[in-house]
Amino acid sequence: MAMLGKRRPPRAAAGRVRRESGAHAPPRGEAADTLTIERLAHDGRGVARDPHGKTVFVDQALPGERVRIAVHRQRRRFDEAHVVECLEPSPQRVTPPCMYYGRCGGCDLQHLALEEQRTHKQRTLEELFTRQGLDLPAMQRLVGEGLGYRRRARLGVKCDAEGTPHLGFRARGSEHLVDIDHCMVLEPILADLIAPLRECLTTLEAPRRVGHIELLATAEGACVVIRQLRDVPGDETRWQRFAAERDITLIWQVGRESPTRRWLHAPFGETLHVTLALDDTTLQLGCAPGDFLQINAEVNAQLVRTALRWLAPRGHERVLDLFAGVGNFTLALSPHVAAISGIEGSPVMVERLADNARRAGLHHVEAHQADLATRMPDVDDVDWVVLDPPRGGAEALCRGLVEHPVEKVLYVSCDPAALARDTAHLVQGGYRIERAAVVDMFPHTAHLESMLLLTRASSRGRSMSAEREDHGQGP
């Protein structure tokens, strides 16, 4: 009531705090006290307390280190800072392998030993589940090579005031473009194209008309997609020559709102594929630029193989694969179950999934389009559900799976907080966590993928597939 009738002071802009006289934190960019890092936040930043008890998140600082910092952003409840000098380094600190590390925003954990990165990701998953009151079983780790793993990337293009084009990735938390000549986490076939691409940009009539460049490693080789904001016929010819000299696929997407796609050079035809190596076969999945694909082919193959072993199909199960994409799990499971339906929100990807099933001779695969954010599919005659949702998770679907239970749920997640939240609904609804894996799909970043297998006894005491089998009913 003390403010009644008085004008309230103006509020500071969100994300920044205007300091009062005598406040303890230094002005933006000024060196602060020497701090000791207590732990890692889930996003990989070091966490410390300043002399007044305020939390400080410190980029590229590790637990146990004494560091001198500079605060670069002040907030009401915490500050954000970077290391000016590491006075006592952690034994887990390593020299980053990339010369651009610290400027390029693509990686944020190269200063931490790779095995410790994976331990941090596992702890993060465990902590988030503990917050939900859940315990995880002993976790499996699915890992691959630390470098040369990324099979797709988007490179920014920007021209400076003199018209010189620059090519690279954005700095962390910034629109600033960091020029690069090479990227150590890209598959070599893609990394080797960066310097030639920049050279080609310098020869263009209108480099400012290039929005960005996408790279994709396919079964056929490297594919380059030029996002062209406006048609420039002379530059089209230059890109065509660039691709022909290197015998790579090059696609020109022209226009801002509804771009048209032109295959300027397609030595293997106007179809792209990625491979999925399983224990007994290798699948070819047709795809196109813009389709969702797991970024790490080696770890994705481990993910799918592990899912098959966990589920242990016996041949009579009926399965729904939700957020199915181009068929990563649908096609792998198909030969081992009685029936499987892949459901995806994008009509184009639904058609791609159906085409992939037809080419593989998998005739009992169905592909359907549905908005899974608003609609719970019918699971009345379903034994298992596979979930691989986007970052927001699948909370509504998990609530639906409590009301309409199935025997097994395999949940693949790219956001551990969403996974913990959704799993809590399933466990409270009678499911049990049987298996868990932390999946290092993105080494040298704090990004964490994971997979769970949950089981639930049928409301009738037995799975529907077992009942069908006992009664001699076919699929």
Side-chain angles (χ1 to χ4, degrees), residues 344-384:
E344 172 58 50
S346 164
V348 173
M349 291 181 70
V350 170
E351 184 58 33
R352 198 109 58 225
L353 169 58
D355 286 344
N356 286 335
R358 282 193 291 269
R359 280 199 299 270
L362 302 172
H363 303 297
H364 62 292
V365 173
E366 295 184 2
H368 301 284
Q369 191 273 332
D371 181 359
L372 293 170
T374 59
R375 174 178 172 266
M376 176 68 189
D378 182 8
V379 296
D380 286 344
D381 197 31
V382 170
D383 300 302
W384 302 345

Side-chain angles (χ1 to χ4, degrees), residues 196-354:
L197 283 166
R198 176 186 287 102
E199 179 61 28
C200 187
L201 284 168
T202 65
T203 69
L204 297 182
E205 175 185 334
R208 294 183 189 276
R209 301 301 185 197
V210 179
H212 60 257
I213 297 176
E214 297 179 35
L215 305 177
L216 176 63
T218 71
E220 293 80 18
C223 173
V224 176
V225 182
I226 308 298
R227 184 67 172 86
Q228 187 77 17
L229 303 179
R230 188 179 299 174
D231 204 346
V232 183
D235 288 347
E236 178 180 0
T237 301
R238 291 179 180 89
W239 283 120
Q240 194 169 35
R241 185 165 57 244
F242 172 89
E245 289 171 353
R246 291 160 180 80
D247 202 29
I248 62 172
T249 299
L250 193 141
I251 299 171
W252 219 39
Q253 290 194 169
V254 185
R256 291 181 181 271
E257 299 301 325
S258 300
T260 58
R261 180 176 295 172
R262 306 178 194 170
W263 295 71
L264 298 192
H265 193 255
F268 307 101
E270 295 184 2
T271 306
L272 302 175
H273 300 86
V274 293
T275 57
L276 174 57
L278 303 176
D279 290 332
D280 53 356
T281 188
T282 297
L283 294 173
Q284 294 267 348
L285 305 181
C287 62
D291 288 352
F292 172 76
L293 299 170
Q294 291 286 10
I295 212 81
N296 188 322
E298 178 188 5
V299 173
N300 178 61
Q302 289 187 49
L303 183 72
V304 177
R305 291 196 296 261
T306 301
L308 285 169
R309 286 192 285 271
W310 285 5
L311 288 166
R314 295 169 57 195
H316 49 248
E317 296 85 4
R318 295 175 181 266
V319 185
L320 275 186
D321 181 11
L322 307 184
F323 309 97
V326 299
N328 195 45
F329 288 99
T330 311
L331 301 189
L333 274 165
S334 175
H336 308 285
V337 298
I340 187 165
S341 294
I343 301 181
E344 172 58 50
S346 164
V348 173
M349 291 181 70
V350 170
E351 184 58 33
R352 198 109 58 225
L353 169 58

Side-chain angles (χ1 to χ4, degrees), residues 86 121 157 196 257 285 352 370 388 422:
C86 186
K121 293 175 182 183
V157 177
E257 299 301 325
L285 305 181
R352 198 109 58 225
D388 189 3
D422 295 350

Side-chain angles (χ1 to χ4, degrees), residues 63-80:
E65 291 186 334
R66 288 183 65 249
V67 294
R68 198 160 58 85
I69 65 160
V71 173
H72 55 256
R73 181 170 295 173
Q74 299 172 344
R75 299 181 184 270
R76 287 185 176 84
R77 302 182 66 179
F78 60 88
D79 287 341
E80 296 178 272

